[in-house]
Amino acid sequence: MTAVERYLTGAGIAKSSARIYRISLMTWGWMFAGEPAPTGPARRGAKPPVFPVAAIDDPALPEVLAELAAARADEMDADTVNRELSIARKAIGWWQRQGWIDCDPTIGIERRPAPPDRTKALAENQIAALWRLDVALREKTCWKMLYESAARADEVLCLNVEDLLPGDKRGKITGKGGATEWIHWQSGTAQLLPRLIARRTRGPLFLTGRKAPAGTPTLDVCPDTGRARLSYRRAEEIFEENTRLLANPLASPEDIEDLDGWTLHRLRHSALTHDAEGGTSTPMLLARSRHASVRSLERYARPGVDSVARHVAERDPAARRNAPR
C-alpha cells in the first residue's frame, strides 16, 4: 500500500521502528481487503492485496474486520495482536488527518487482555549482558542511570544538566503529579556523566544527534549545541532495537528484526525487584520507587528468576549431601 509508505515517511516513524510498523500494517492490509492475514511460514514474502485507501471507508468493513481480528487473536499472542491494533489506529488517524478517509473501521475492536508477565524483572546475567553491549555513551549513561536510580524513563529524560548534583550522585526530577523529588545513582552512572555532560552547564542532559528542528520548545533545546532533548519514543526505540538479541537469544538472525526487545521500564522494575531480593526494607523501597502505598510495591516484591533458582538450589538434597563438612 502506497498509503503505508506515505504514513511511515510523513509521520516521522524512525527507521528502527519502520520495519515493525510496515509488517503490522501489511497484516492489516489483508484484513482491510476482507481477507485473513497469513500466519506462520505463509506470512514470509506474502503481499497483501492492492486496494485504494478510500476503501477503508466501506460501511461494511467494520463488521468484517471484527471477525477477522477475532480469528487472528485466537492464533496470535495478545501482545502481538494489541501492538498491531495500536499501530493500525495510529496510521488510520494520520490518514484521517490527511483527508484520505473519514472513518476508523477498528473502532469496535477491543484490545485483548494479556496474561500477567512474571518475567519483567531481568535476571542478573541479563543486566550484565546489557552493560556489555557496544552502544553510544548517551545510551550507556541513560540505561545505567535508569537501573541504578530505579527512576521512570520519562523522569530521567526530562533531566537538565543544572538539575544534577554529581558530587552527591543525585538529581532533581519532576515526579508524578508535578512533585519535585530526588533520584539517586551509583558509581556506574557517576563515572559516565562527566563525559556525557562535557563542558555543558545547562540544558537537556540527554540530547539527539542533530540540531533541533524549527519550532522545538526552548526548554528542549541545548543552548550550547543547539541539539534537541532525546524523546521518550526515540529512547525506547533504541533500547528495544539493541536488546532484541538479548530478549530472544535462540532466534535466528533473519527473524530477529521481527521480534521485540526489552522496554525501558524493565530497568526500573528490575532494580526494585533486585532491591527487594537483597532485603531492602519496605520504607526504603517506597522511597526508592516513590510510590505512595505499599500495595504498589507488590509487583516488585515478587522474587526474580535468579532468586528463585538460588532458593531451589540451596534446598536441593543432593547439593546438601555433597556440601563440604
Side-chain angles (χ1 to χ4, degrees):
M1 290 173 64
T2 302
V4 170
E5 298 304 323
R6 294 282 297 275
Y7 163 66
L8 295 176
T9 303
I13 304 301
K15 290 182 179 179
S16 59
S17 298
R19 178 179 172 82
I20 298 297
Y21 273 60
R22 187 177 292 107
I23 290 171
S24 294
L25 292 172
M26 290 303 176
T27 296
W28 276 94
W30 289 90
M31 297 194 287
F32 287 148
E35 301 181 29
T39 58
R43 178 181 180 182
R44 190 171 299 280
K47 294 183 178 181
V50 177
F51 66 97
V53 69
I56 291 177
D57 280 336
D58 183 342
L61 185 57
E63 184 176 352
V64 173
L65 272 187
E67 293 181 3
L68 291 171
R72 181 170 175 77
D74 290 337
E75 297 183 26
M76 310 294 291
D77 66 274
D79 287 336
T80 298
V81 169
N82 290 339
R83 181 181 67 244
E84 290 177 345
L85 178 59
S86 176
I87 290 173
R89 284 177 172 161
K90 289 177 183 177
I92 288 170
W94 191 84
W95 293 331
Q96 287 175 322
R97 290 191 293 276
Q98 311 315 305
W100 299 347
I101 58 174
D102 296 320
C103 303
D104 179 356
T106 72
I107 199 70
I109 301 174
E110 297 183 356
R111 290 174 60 85
R112 292 286 167 140
D117 185 354
R118 304 301 189 192
T119 64
K120 284 187 177 179
L122 300 172
E124 293 173 3
N125 67 319
Q126 291 176 308
I127 292 292
L130 179 65
W131 304 149
R132 291 194 294 269
L133 290 180
D134 183 15
V135 295
L137 174 64
R138 180 187 66 188
E139 275 61 62
K140 287 182 181 178
T141 310
C142 182
W143 301 349
K144 277 279 187 182
M145 181 177 284
L146 287 172
Y147 180 70
E148 292 184 351
S149 69
R152 299 176 181 89
D154 56 343
E155 297 169 341
V156 164
L157 292 169
C158 284
L159 277 171
N160 291 328
V161 174
E162 60 267 33
D163 296 327
L164 310 181
L165 293 179
D168 296 332
K169 297 179 184 175
R170 65 181 181 182
K172 185 167 57 177
I173 56 98
T174 301
K176 282 189 173 182
T180 299
E181 299 172 324
W182 292 98
I183 61 170
H184 304 260
W185 52 81
Q186 298 169 325
S187 298
T189 304
Q191 292 170 1
L192 295 169
L193 272 176
R195 293 166 52 201
L196 180 72
I197 296 171
R199 298 177 180 176
R200 294 184 289 136
T201 59
R202 55 196 177 126
L205 174 60
F206 295 103
L207 300 171
T208 59
R210 60 184 64 182
K211 296 288 185 179
T216 303
T218 303
L219 291 176
D220 291 329
V221 179
C222 173
D224 298 324
T225 66
R227 290 185 285 157
R229 185 186 304 276
L230 179 66
S231 69
Y232 184 100
R233 187 185 76 173
R234 182 60 184 140
E236 184 86 305
E237 288 173 346
I238 293 171
F239 188 66
E240 189 274 335
E241 181 180 7
N242 278 279
T243 57
R244 286 175 189 166
L245 187 57
L246 297 181
N248 306 279
L250 300 181
S252 60
E254 60 269 21
D255 292 334
I256 198 65
E257 290 190 14
D258 294 344
L259 300 173
D260 292 333
W262 296 329
T263 62
L264 288 171
H265 178 72
R266 294 186 71 172
L267 293 175
R268 168 176 164 84
H269 196 107
S270 302
L272 293 171
T273 297
H274 296 165
D275 274 1
E277 291 172 350
T280 300
S281 67
T282 298
M284 184 56 69
L285 281 175
L286 278 173
R288 281 266 283 164
S289 67
R290 288 170 287 110
H291 281 303
S293 72
V294 174
R295 185 179 182 85
S296 300
L297 291 176
E298 291 178 0
R299 74 191 77 170
Y300 307 115
R302 180 181 295 274
V305 60
D306 286 337
S307 182
V308 174
R310 284 194 297 268
H311 173 85
V312 174
E314 289 168 358
R315 286 156 180 76
D316 185 341
R320 291 181 179 178
R321 286 194 298 270
N322 297 329
R325 299 180 181 276

